[in-house]
Amino acid sequence: QQPVQSPQAVILREGEDAVINCSSSKALYSVHWYRQKHGEAPVFLMILLKGGEQKGHEKISASFNEKKQQSSLYLTASQLSYSGTYFCGIRGGAGSYQLTFGKGTKLSVIP
Amino acid sequence: DTEVTQTPKHLVMGMTNKKSLKCEQHMGHRAMYWYKQKAKKPPELMFVYSYEKLSINESVPSRFSPECPNSSLLNLHLHALQPEDSALYLCASSQDDFSGPFANTGELFFGEGSRLTVL
């Protein structure tokens, strides 16, 4: 089942912060986050494996609320290079290879 | 080597043609995936091979035929496609070292994709 992402699109000025949310109607075992720039392949950002887990990569971090069946991606002090479409992906179940992506959030960072 | 290589990068074919897309990885990953992506849409899972066996087929039409000759290679054979099959076809691989509920949670490494146009 496809996770729901919000917002669908966001425009930021350099240095501003953004939050992208991903929620599911079913139990989550792991949440993946990827970024895809126009004309390129999706690139892995991070995986959250446990409820409550938080991870960070430079100024991009994420949290995973197992109880609420949702994850959030935080982008702080955004840079032009952060522009792209962000997808969250969830596995089909414990031990499943199926990874289903949300519809994506288009992030545009302007000077 | 952390690359997934796909060939060709671009392919134009007629509805009666037979062609193949190829994907190769040398990371020792045992799971390989085919995804289809239309413009402004997320990647949609088509097939998953696990240890060279077809693990998932997401009800894909038979005009798409996957093949996994060995653990490093994945092919997608195309025959009698329709114009609506035009899309970016992405190959990915993953390695999963966990067991239990967190098995098969490894990150996906994507190739650059093969952009297919069906006339």
Side-chain angles (χ1 to χ4, degrees), chain A residues 34 36 41 49 91 95 98-99, chain B residues 35 37 58 102 104 106 108 111:
Chain A
Y34 292 79
Q36 186 175 29
L49 291 176
R91 291 285 183 173
Q98 181 186 40
L99 184 67
Chain B
Y35 278 87
Q37 187 175 29
E58 292 285 27
F102 302 119
N104 308 333
L108 266 58

Side-chain angles (χ1 to χ4, degrees), chain B residues 39-115:
Chain B
K40 298 185 180 180
K41 299 289 186 186
E44 289 179 20
L45 184 62
M46 299 175 73
F47 304 103
V48 181
Y49 272 84
S50 170
Y51 291 84
E52 300 160 48
K53 287 194 167 73
L54 186 62
S55 176
I56 293 177
N57 176 342
E58 292 285 27
S59 303
V60 179
S62 59
R63 57 186 184 268
F64 294 92
S65 175
E67 179 197 19
C68 189
N70 60 56
S71 59
S72 301
L73 293 173
L74 186 66
N75 298 321
L76 187 63
H77 302 298
L78 315 170
H79 174 55
L81 295 191
Q82 305 294 311
E84 60 264 28
D85 296 322
S86 298
L88 180 68
Y89 288 84
L90 293 161
C91 174
S93 69
S94 71
Q95 181 176 12
D96 297 289
D97 299 322
F98 306 103
S99 60
F102 302 119
N104 308 333
T105 55
E107 67 183 269
L108 266 58
F109 289 79
F110 283 91
E112 290 188 352
S114 293
R115 188 163 297 283

Side-chain angles (χ1 to χ4, degrees), chain A residues 62-87:
Chain A
S63 63
F64 182 8
N65 187 322
E66 193 175 15
K67 206 170 181 179
K68 292 184 179 178
Q69 294 173 185
Q70 65 183 201
S71 175
S72 296
L73 187 72
Y74 306 93
L75 300 103
T76 57
S78 58
Q79 305 167 14
L80 295 175
S81 61
Y82 287 3
S83 293
T85 300
Y86 290 77
F87 294 103

